[in-house]
Amino acid sequence: MHVNHLPGAPAASSIEFDTFLSVDIRIGTVVEAVPFPEARKPALKLTIDFGPTIGRKRSSAQITEHYTPETLLGRQVAAVVNFPPRQIGKFMSEVLTVGFADEAGAVVLFKPDRPVPDGSRLF
């Protein structure tokens, strides 16, 4: 299934509220960010701390247009934490870091406008 991420794409079809709730999106703080040169598309390997309940999880994120490892350390990001892990080369990505496309289609990360506790769930 291909999803059009660019601005101006039509809205997705309607879903039930329970379907939305089945996607577990949490806030975590980036505690490690390193280049991922082995990835087919430019990416970074992130370690994100989601607090004591979920713990630290790893994510491969194609976010190199707007972010460097140094700018991500200590930043809160949102991620889907209940997708199955996905093998990307030799790296196991455990969560899907989420963002929005800018005008050119590059990812702009989602973050709350004020700090919230790591592990907080989007609702």
Side-chain angles (χ1 to χ4, degrees), residues 25-30 48 50 63 66-67 70-79 97-100 107-118 120 122:
I25 301 173
R26 305 283 181 125
I27 284 292
T29 298
V30 176
I48 305 165
F50 292 97
I63 57 174
H66 296 301
Y67 305 97
E70 300 78 28
T71 63
L72 292 167
L73 288 179
R75 178 192 172 103
Q76 286 195 303
V77 296
T97 306
V98 298
F100 297 92
V107 177
V108 175
L109 293 172
F110 170 84
K111 108 178 196 185
D113 64 357
R114 51 181 77 175
V116 296
D118 287 335
S120 295
L122 178 73

Side-chain angles (χ1 to χ4, degrees), residues 3 5 10 25 38 43 47-48 54 56 67 70 81 83 89-90 92 103 113 121-122:
V3 177
H5 301 290
I25 301 173
E38 308 88 5
T47 302
I48 305 165
I54 296 172
R56 291 182 174 195
Y67 305 97
E70 300 78 28
V81 298
F83 283 155
K90 294 181 180 181
M92 184 64 73
E103 299 82 16
D113 64 357
R121 185 172 180 172
L122 178 73

